[in-house]
C-alpha cells in the first residue's frame, strides 16, 4: 500500500505496469505505483521435484512403475512466468515422456539393472528442451523401478528355480567328486596291496632260489659217503613210519640184506623162506 516491495535474495522481481511486463529488478527494495504497477517475484534457487509413480511399458511388454526425482532452477524468469501457464508441469511432462521412450527401448532385466544409464540418457535428452520453459534441469534420479505384482511373482519363481538348479548342480558335482576321490582311494589301496604282494612273492622266490642254489652247490661238492649217510637216515625214517609198502630202486634191492633193522622196524620182519628137506629114499 506504500508502493514499496522488497525482492529477497536469490529471487528476481518482474515489474508489471497495468498487467504488462515492463522490466526485471534485482533483489533489494523497490518502489512502484500501487494500482498501476505490481512486482512479481520468481525464485531462482534450485528446487527439488518428486514425480509420482507412473506406469512405463518396457520393450518386452512388462509393466513397470517408475519413480523419479529431479532438481531444477529457473534460468529465465520472463519465460517461466509469462510464456507457459505452468512451466513446472510442462517440464515434468517432458521428462516423463522421454523416460517412457528410454525405458520402452529396453527389456525388463536391462531396465532394472541400468538406472545409471537411464539417468544419463534422460539428462542428455532434456538438456536443451527445458530452456523453452525458462528452466534448467540440473539433475535427474530414478528412485525405483518396480515391476507389477504378477511380474514380481514370476521373477521370484524364476529366481527360486535358478537357485534350486544351481544347488542341484553343486550337489551333483560334489557327489561326483566324492565318488571320484573314493574310487581313486580304492584303486590306490589295491595297487599298494598288489605291489606289496608282488614284492613278497619276489622275496619268497628269491629265497627259494637261493636255497635251491645253495643245495645244488652243496650237492656238487658232496662225497659218496654223504649220500650213503643220507640213505641210512632215509631208511631209518622209513623204519619209524607206519608204512608197510616200500618202493626201492632195483639197483638197491641187494642192499636190503645188509640192513636187518628194516624188518624189525616194519614189525613183520624179514622171514627166511623155509626150504623143504629132501625125503629119504626107500
Amino acid at each position: 500500500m506504500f508502493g514499496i516491495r522488497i525482492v529477497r535474495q536469490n529471487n528476481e522481481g518482474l515489474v508489471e505496469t497495468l498487467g504488462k511486463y515492463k522490466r526485471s529488478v534485482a533483489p533489494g527494495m523497490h518502489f512502484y505505483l500501487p494500482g498501476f504497477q505490481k512486482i512479481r517475484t520468481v525464485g531462482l534457487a534450485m528446487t527439488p521435484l518428486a514425480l509420482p509413480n507412473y506406469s512405463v511399458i518396457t520393450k518386452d511388454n512388462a509393466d513397470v512403475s517408475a519413480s523419479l526425482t529431479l532438481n531444477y532452477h529457473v534460468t529465465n524468469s520472463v519465460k517461466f512466468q509469462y510464456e507457459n501457464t505452468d512451466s513446472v508441469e510442462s517440464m515434468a511432462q517432458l521428462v516423463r515422456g522421454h523416460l517412457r521412450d528410454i525405458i520402452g527401448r529396453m527389456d525388463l532385466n536391462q531396465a532394472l539393472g541400468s538406472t545409471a544409464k537411464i539417468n544419463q540418457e534422460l539428462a542428455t535428452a532434456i538438456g536443451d528442451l527445458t530452456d523453452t520453459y525458462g528452466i534448467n534441469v540440473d539433475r535427474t534420479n530414478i528412485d525405483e523401478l518396480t515391476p507389477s505384482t504378477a511380474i514380481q511373482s514370476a521373477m521370484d519363481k524364476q529366481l527360486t528355480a535358478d537357485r534350486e538348479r544351481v544347488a542341484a548342480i553343486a550337489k551333483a558335482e560334489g557327489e561326483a567328486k566324492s565318488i571320484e576321490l573314493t574310487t581313486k582311494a580304492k584303486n590306490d589301496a589295491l595297487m599298494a596291496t598288489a605291489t606289496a604282494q608282488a614284492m613278497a612273492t619276489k622275496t619268497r622266490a628269491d629265497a627259494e632260489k637261493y636255497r635251491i642254489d645253495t643245495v645244488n652247490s652243496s650237492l656238487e661238492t658232496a662225497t659218496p659217503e654223504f649220500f650213503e649217510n643220507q640213505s641210512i637216515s632215509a631208511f631209518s625214517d622209513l623204519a619209524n613210519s607206519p608204512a608197510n609198502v616200500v618202493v626201492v630202486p632195483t639197483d638197491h634191492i641187494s642192499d636190503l640184506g645188509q640192513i636187518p633193522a628194516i624188518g624189525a622196524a616194519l614189525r613183520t620182519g624179514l622171514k627166511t623162506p623155509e626150504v623143504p628137506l629132501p625125503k629119504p629114499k626107500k
Side-chain angles (χ1 to χ4, degrees), residues 11 16 64 76 79 100 148 184 188 199 211 244 260 275:
N11 286 265
E16 298 176 355
V64 179
N76 190 321
K79 288 183 179 181
R100 287 192 181 98
S148 63
K184 184 177 182 301
D188 291 344
M199 291 297 295
R211 186 187 68 81
N244 53 13
V275 179

Side-chain angles (χ1 to χ4, degrees), residues 98-248:
H98 281 283
L99 182 61
R100 287 192 181 98
D101 177 66
I102 294 172
I103 295 179
R105 290 185 272 108
M106 296 182 175
D107 295 333
L108 176 61
N109 291 335
Q110 184 181 3
L112 294 178
S114 305
T115 55
K117 180 180 179 181
I118 295 174
N119 287 331
Q120 183 179 1
E121 292 188 11
L122 182 60
T124 302
I126 65 177
D128 298 328
L129 298 178
T130 55
D131 184 61
T132 305
Y133 312 120
I135 295 174
N136 182 71
V137 178
D138 302 292
R139 181 180 179 182
T140 60
N141 183 62
I142 296 179
D143 296 328
E144 61 180 4
L145 291 175
T146 307
S148 63
T149 305
I151 295 178
Q152 285 184 354
S153 178
M155 292 175 65
D156 291 340
K157 291 181 181 179
Q158 182 180 0
L159 181 60
T160 301
D162 290 341
R163 289 178 176 175
E164 291 177 351
R165 178 178 58 83
V166 172
I169 292 175
K171 181 180 179 181
E173 290 178 349
E175 292 177 351
K177 189 64 175 179
S178 177
I179 293 174
E180 179 184 353
L181 294 176
T182 302
T183 304
K184 184 177 182 301
K186 291 182 178 179
N187 291 338
D188 291 344
L190 291 175
M191 290 294 295
T193 302
T195 302
Q197 291 177 350
M199 291 297 295
T201 302
K202 184 177 182 302
T203 302
R204 289 193 297 269
D206 291 343
E208 182 65 17
K209 181 178 180 300
Y210 176 77
R211 186 187 68 81
I212 293 174
D213 292 342
T214 302
V215 171
N216 290 338
S217 177
S218 300
L219 292 177
E220 289 177 356
T221 59
T223 60
E225 289 79 7
F226 171 78
F227 291 106
E228 293 178 0
N229 184 51
Q230 290 297 318
S231 298
I232 295 173
S233 297
F235 279 116
S236 299
D237 294 337
L238 181 62
N240 293 326
S241 69
N244 53 13
V245 176
V246 179
V247 179
V248 180

Side-chain angles (χ1 to χ4, degrees), residues 3 8 23-24 31 33 38 50 58 64 78 93-94 121 166 173 187 197 201 204 207 228 230 250 262 273:
R8 296 184 180 277
R23 70 181 186 276
S24 299
F31 296 94
L33 298 175
K38 181 179 181 180
T58 63
V64 179
V78 176
Q93 290 178 0
L94 178 65
E121 292 188 11
V166 172
E173 290 178 349
N187 291 338
Q197 291 177 350
T201 302
R204 289 193 297 269
E228 293 178 0
Q230 290 297 318
T250 56
I262 293 179

Side-chain angles (χ1 to χ4, degrees), residues 24-59:
S24 299
V25 295
M29 185 174 65
H30 301 277
F31 296 94
Y32 67 99
L33 298 175
F36 292 94
Q37 290 181 326
K38 181 179 181 180
I39 298 179
R40 295 178 183 274
T41 58
V42 178
L44 304 179
M46 186 178 294
T47 305
L49 176 65
L51 301 181
N53 294 337
Y54 59 98
S55 178
V56 180
I57 304 300
T58 63
K59 182 179 179 180

